[in-house]
Amino acid sequence: MKNKLLILLGICVAGAIQAQDIHNNPTSNHGNKFEALGTILPTPNEYRTASGAPGPKYWQQRADYDITCSLDENKQWLTGSETITYFNNSPNELTYLWMQLDENEHSTKNNANYQDGSSMPKIVSDQMLDRVANAKETNDYGDNIVKITDALGKPLDHMVNKTMMRIELPATLKPGQKFVFKINWNYHISDRMKTGGRGGYEYFPEDGNYLFTMTQWYPRLCVYSDFQGWQNNQFTSRGEFALTFGNFKVQMTVPADHIIGATGECQNYQQVLTPGQFARWQQAQTAKEPVEIVTLAEAKASEVKKNKATKTWIFKADNVRDFAWGSSRKFVMDAMPAYVEGKKVMCMSYYGKEAYPLYRRFSTKAVAHTIKTYSHFTIPFPYPVAQSVEAANGMEYPMICFNYGRCEKDGTYSEATKYGMLGVVIHEVGHNFFPMIINSDERQWTWMDEGLNSFVEYLTEERWDNHFPVRGKGPGWAIVDYMKLPKDQLEPIMTNSENIVNFGPNAYSKPATALNILRETVMGRELFDYAFKEYARRWAFKHPTPADLFRTMNDASAENLDWYWRGWFYGIEPVDLSLDSVKHLTPDFSHVPEHTTTTVVKHIDKPYPDGKFPTDISKVRNREDKSIVFPSDADTSLHDFYYKYTRGQIPYDTATYTVESTHINGREVNSFSDEPLDDAEKSKLQSKQFYELQFSNKGGLVMPIIIEWTYKDGTREIERIPAQVWRKNEARLTKLFVKDKEVRSIKLDPNRETADIDESNNSWPVVQTESKFEIFKAKQLGPRAIPQANNPMQMTGKDKKAF
């Protein structure tokens, strides 16, 4: 009987079993998609191994900074001096050092001068004319290097090339030696609300005050590494930073009524805070809820008084790659502790009255949730502080980040503002891990910074609130619109930061979605999470490359994922798997005349399981995981209007499907065998339903095949076939399935996990897919359809505040 069944199965799948060329030949059926990455990745060596781990001779440099600076608020001017101790841990002799002068980004003389093409505008605006005029004018922005000396005060030769500065060493710096030198500098602080950039000031004309975000503000060492040498690519304001770890001591003299948040721990809170504020700081050390160290009333009073005296704040930070700070008299400051594996981390927020209703309720708790969740997926948060500063932007530095999220003047805020604020806080705090700790080269590979961080941000948002709205990354369907673009608008994820056309989708969304699909659909959570944690553990406080990530994920999981890295990270092909045909064979031994019957079944079904649009498999699995506690549910202080009124279901229209089922009599089935079947064999076959499915890979990107079988009795089954089923023929596949029940309908990728760009070819029988207009309409008529009397968008300011 076994041989007879094998013959039957062999005939049914004959179309899929063909002689294949097993060599790496692009003209063969299997092409190149499942071949090893091979020489695409750099050759392993004693610094970086083939397993993805640091090698026995791995090394990296170190730079320690002792900085003093003074902020002139009235002139918007910063003056500073720094002593740098540079350690040559490399096996190479160095004759010069390269330093980054990021403030030159704003200079009309020393900027990197990267330009893009442009065209004639349809409408000439005043703003456009201003930009053209300003580009021609000479400004006084950029770093003014006053002097550079060695430790004994002897001048050092140096040369500025745009945003980079080369310092000539007086003697060769040999392996194992260190060099101490000093730099005095100053610069005009730019209005970042007009000139752009990460750092600068924002002016508030309503109360005449400033908010300073001091970022990329001091001359700092470039990375010198084993795989690249000096990373001295010019700073164009897009590709961010490659930086060297070290210890910092920083003293900042600012107006006496300013409050400072900065990288590291403040060394003199008792001197710079009032006695009442310092008492509240001590109280916050053991608090269960955020404590206002600087209250809203105190911040408002400072806005009016404007103290003209000065005060010096002192901060220290060890083993960090950068230092940033924010300073303003507008700041409210709150704090509470969070605990990561028993270690206390002070979670803190700084914000003006404009953001108070949102930040007071959510910010510090979102900081705490972020460091705990990222620690769960990577390594325990190693620093003593994590801070969020509201500054109408989004940017990250060690232990501190700058975010947006201001309310209307009457104190209300929209749902989009709320979730945008939560998303940016989680994202920017998460950057502590990628790339501040797992320290990739952002200037070369933006996705290793933004993409990996966006992925863990998505996991963190999903664990904050199971109803958290998806914003373009995570589930497969969220990246479909980008994957559908014409090829001239796409580039591989591995593209250099400066050359990316669609920067957001390519550097953030696609890699984040690719990793989530890898976790949920390809590897499974257990295998993926173990390997991803191993990558974080291996490369914490080191300088990883893409090859180190790819190799570690393979090594720690026993999964050969080269096909996945090749397709998602080195290619631009989309996913479009098609169910082309279905054959149904039913054994029939009743000896009735040979004939074919057709059965028509009317079926009412929801287009997606779980009753929601769109389905998010991560949300479904998180709900099923009873170990996950969502802060938005457990902490009633986080329940605002939008929490209370968006717990609903989106209604769906019903659909009618017609299924044609072909029955073939026993004589035909029996013809597969050379010998007549006995009664026992007939009995076994009589109860089986044979389905031969033909698939084609129209998009080019190979992926697992996920099939939802809906049976005539109304039950469902999801079957998952790994992507390797395509390895012998990447374009076409025929596969036999044997079922115990008759099938009513078949659907590929029912939870929209794989980023399939065309769902019209995913069903049998063919089902008309919903148009984008119908999808939009369904969203609008879902839980957001609140009666006007209870809808905050239709209320007066007074009524809104009640919520």
Side-chain angles (χ1 to χ4, degrees), residues 527-773:
L527 268 182
F528 179 94
D529 290 353
Y530 181 90
F532 194 70
K533 285 175 72 76
E534 179 65 10
Y535 166 71
R537 185 193 67 78
R538 287 178 174 182
W539 291 98
F541 300 104
K542 295 182 176 69
H543 303 293
T545 68
D548 301 318
L549 170 64
F550 299 155
R551 285 168 166 156
T552 294
M553 293 297 293
N554 289 12
D555 181 69
S557 67
E559 290 285 337
N560 185 347
L561 299 169
D562 281 9
W563 65 273
Y564 198 82
W565 311 128
R566 182 189 292 276
W568 277 93
F569 289 79
Y570 288 90
I572 61 172
E573 291 179 317
V575 180
D576 181 10
L577 303 187
S578 173
L579 176 57
D580 295 333
S581 68
V582 177
K583 292 181 181 178
H584 176 202
L585 284 75
T586 303
D588 185 354
F589 304 101
S590 61
H591 303 291
V592 297
E594 186 172 328
H595 66 281
T596 298
T597 63
T598 300
T599 303
V600 178
V601 178
K602 289 184 178 181
H603 174 51
I604 297 175
D605 190 19
K606 292 178 179 178
Y608 303 106
D610 197 46
K612 292 185 178 64
F613 182 90
T615 300
D616 184 342
I617 194 65
S618 295
K619 282 182 167 60
V620 173
R621 290 174 178 163
N622 284 346
R623 280 199 300 275
E624 294 171 350
D625 187 345
K626 301 306 178 185
S627 68
I628 296 176
V629 177
F630 301 101
S632 64
D633 292 335
D635 186 350
T636 57
S637 71
L638 300 175
H639 294 184
D640 62 352
F641 173 90
Y642 300 105
Y643 177 90
K644 297 172 185 176
Y645 286 87
T646 57
R647 261 55 180 171
Q649 299 280 325
I650 294 177
Y652 287 94
D653 296 330
T654 59
T656 301
Y657 303 149
T658 300
V659 178
E660 293 186 357
S661 179
T662 303
H663 295 257
I664 302 177
N665 68 27
R667 198 165 299 160
E668 289 176 314
V669 174
N670 203 31
S671 67
F672 289 135
S673 173
D674 295 332
E675 302 175 16
L677 301 176
D678 59 32
D679 290 343
E681 293 170 332
K682 289 180 181 180
S683 177
K684 287 183 179 179
L685 285 175
Q686 189 82 50
S687 62
K688 301 298 182 183
Q689 306 284 330
F690 293 83
Y691 291 89
E692 179 189 283
L693 275 56
Q694 292 187 345
F695 307 92
S696 60
N697 180 3
K698 296 183 180 298
L701 185 55
V702 293
M703 286 294 284
I705 301 174
I706 307 170
I707 306 172
E708 180 184 64
W709 306 88
T710 300
Y711 299 102
K712 280 195 170 183
D713 63 5
T715 59
R716 298 187 183 198
E717 175 192 14
I718 291 182
E719 191 166 350
R720 295 174 178 270
I721 303 168
Q724 285 78 7
V725 73
W726 298 97
R727 68 193 183 282
K728 295 179 179 178
N729 188 328
E730 297 165 1
R732 290 169 297 279
L733 171 70
T734 302
K735 192 163 179 62
L736 174 71
F737 301 86
V738 182
K739 300 297 180 183
D740 293 324
K741 296 182 289 187
E742 191 168 347
V743 173
R744 182 166 60 196
S745 63
I746 301 170
K747 183 175 179 61
L748 300 187
D749 195 15
N751 292 319
R752 308 175 80 203
E753 299 175 46
T754 66
D756 195 314
I757 66 169
D758 183 3
E759 296 182 70
S760 68
N761 55 25
N762 285 8
S763 298
W764 174 84
V766 176
V767 178
Q768 186 66 38
T769 57
E770 295 177 86
S771 69
K772 286 191 175 183
F773 176 77

Side-chain angles (χ1 to χ4, degrees), residues 321-336:
R321 57 169 242 167
D322 201 1
F323 190 102
W325 51 290
S327 182
S328 179
R329 64 174 56 86
K330 294 177 66 65
F331 282 152
V332 176
M333 169 185 172
D334 70 37
M336 66 175 285

Side-chain angles (χ1 to χ4, degrees), residues 117-310:
S118 55
S119 59
M120 186 72 73
K122 294 181 179 179
I123 299 176
V124 178
S125 65
D126 291 340
Q127 290 83 355
M128 188 199 75
L129 294 175
D130 287 342
R131 285 197 299 271
V132 173
N134 291 336
K136 294 180 178 178
E137 293 179 1
T138 301
N139 62 34
D140 64 346
Y141 291 125
D143 282 302
N144 301 304
I145 304 300
V146 178
K147 65 177 180 178
I148 304 177
T149 68
D150 64 14
L152 300 177
K154 183 178 179 180
L156 297 176
D157 291 336
H158 63 279
M159 184 274 295
V160 173
N161 177 18
K162 303 179 179 70
T163 63
M164 292 290 161
M165 178 171 67
R166 188 182 65 229
I167 297 176
E168 303 295 333
L169 295 173
T172 298
L173 187 63
K174 295 182 178 180
Q177 292 183 337
K178 66 180 180 181
F179 179 66
V180 180
F181 63 104
K182 300 180 179 182
I183 306 177
N184 287 16
W185 47 265
N186 59 64
Y187 68 84
H188 183 190
I189 304 169
S190 61
D191 182 346
R192 62 179 173 81
M193 308 306 289
K194 294 181 179 179
T195 63
R198 277 81 167 177
Y201 70 83
E202 178 182 3
Y203 179 67
F204 293 80
E206 298 88 351
D207 52 54
N209 287 291
Y210 293 83
L211 191 163
F212 293 90
T213 54
M214 308 312 298
T215 65
Q216 295 126 252
W217 55 285
Y218 60 99
R220 51 196 184 156
L221 264 300
C222 296
V223 166
Y224 182 76
S225 68
D226 63 279
F227 64 88
Q228 189 176 36
W230 286 107
Q231 169 50 292
N232 52 11
N233 294 350
Q234 295 292 337
F235 178 48
T236 70
S237 82
R238 172 177 277 188
E240 290 177 354
F241 326 112
L243 295 166
T244 300
F245 286 105
N247 300 331
F248 285 75
K249 179 184 177 184
V250 182
Q251 302 180 66
M252 297 151 280
T253 300
V254 299
D257 51 4
H258 273 217
I259 299 296
I260 286 182
T263 295
E265 293 180 287
C266 183
Q267 304 297 296
N268 63 335
Y269 271 145
Q270 194 162 8
Q271 287 72 47
V272 293
L273 298 177
T274 68
Q277 291 166 349
F278 185 70
R280 293 191 289 270
W281 167 250
Q282 292 177 309
Q283 175 191 346
Q285 302 302 306
T286 55
K288 304 296 184 185
E289 292 286 322
V291 174
E292 283 189 26
I293 313 303
V294 180
T295 67
L296 178 62
E298 289 170 335
K300 287 182 175 179
S302 294
E303 285 183 335
V304 176
K305 294 178 182 178
K306 296 184 177 62
N307 194 329
K308 296 187 181 300
T310 60

Side-chain angles (χ1 to χ4, degrees), residues 264-483:
E265 293 180 287
C266 183
Q267 304 297 296
N268 63 335
Y269 271 145
Q270 194 162 8
Q271 287 72 47
V272 293
L273 298 177
T274 68
Q277 291 166 349
F278 185 70
R280 293 191 289 270
W281 167 250
Q282 292 177 309
Q283 175 191 346
Q285 302 302 306
T286 55
K288 304 296 184 185
E289 292 286 322
V291 174
E292 283 189 26
I293 313 303
V294 180
T295 67
L296 178 62
E298 289 170 335
K300 287 182 175 179
S302 294
E303 285 183 335
V304 176
K305 294 178 182 178
K306 296 184 177 62
N307 194 329
K308 296 187 181 300
T310 60
K311 192 179 293 184
T312 299
W313 298 60
I314 305 172
F315 280 79
K316 286 188 66 177
D318 291 337
N319 205 16
V320 294
R321 57 169 242 167
D322 201 1
F323 190 102
W325 51 290
S327 182
S328 179
R329 64 174 56 86
K330 294 177 66 65
F331 282 152
V332 176
M333 169 185 172
D334 70 37
M336 66 175 285
Y339 295 89
V340 177
E341 296 192 357
K343 177 185 175 182
K344 183 172 75 171
V345 179
M346 288 305 294
C347 300
M348 305 162 68
S349 296
Y350 303 79
Y351 43 92
K353 61 180 184 292
E354 295 81 5
Y356 186 87
L358 265 174
Y359 271 70
R360 182 66 180 90
R361 185 194 291 260
F362 294 111
S363 178
T364 296
K365 289 185 176 181
V367 172
H369 172 71
T370 301
I371 63 169
K372 288 188 284 189
T373 306
Y374 273 70
S375 296
H376 171 78
F377 287 110
T378 60
I379 62 166
F381 186 71
Y383 295 130
V385 174
Q387 300 163 89
S388 163
V389 181
E390 197 291 313
N393 67 345
M395 191 57 202
E396 73 280 355
Y397 301 90
M399 294 184 248
I400 190 169
C401 60
F402 302 95
N403 311 304
Y404 58 79
R406 292 178 188 170
C407 307
E408 302 296 330
K409 290 188 181 298
D410 62 4
T412 59
Y413 51 86
S414 68
E415 184 182 36
T417 299
K418 169 192 172 179
Y419 283 108
M421 169 263 178
L422 284 169
V424 74
V425 170
I426 291 171
H427 181 89
E428 305 302 349
V429 173
H431 271 305
N432 275 289
F433 295 82
F434 304 100
M436 300 302 156
I437 297 169
I438 298 112
N439 188 18
S440 58
D441 180 354
E442 304 169 63
R443 196 152 296 176
Q444 179 62 38
W445 302 294
T446 295
W447 71 268
M448 290 197 76
D449 160 23
E450 300 295 355
L452 268 65
N453 184 55
S454 294
F455 163 62
V456 188
E457 173 203 345
Y458 169 73
L459 300 180
T460 304
E461 292 170 349
E462 293 289 274
R463 286 175 171 243
W464 170 268
D465 183 352
N466 198 239
H467 293 258
F468 204 102
V470 175
R471 295 178 182 272
K473 53 183 175 287
W477 55 262
I479 196 65
V480 164
D481 286 345
Y482 174 65
M483 301 288 276

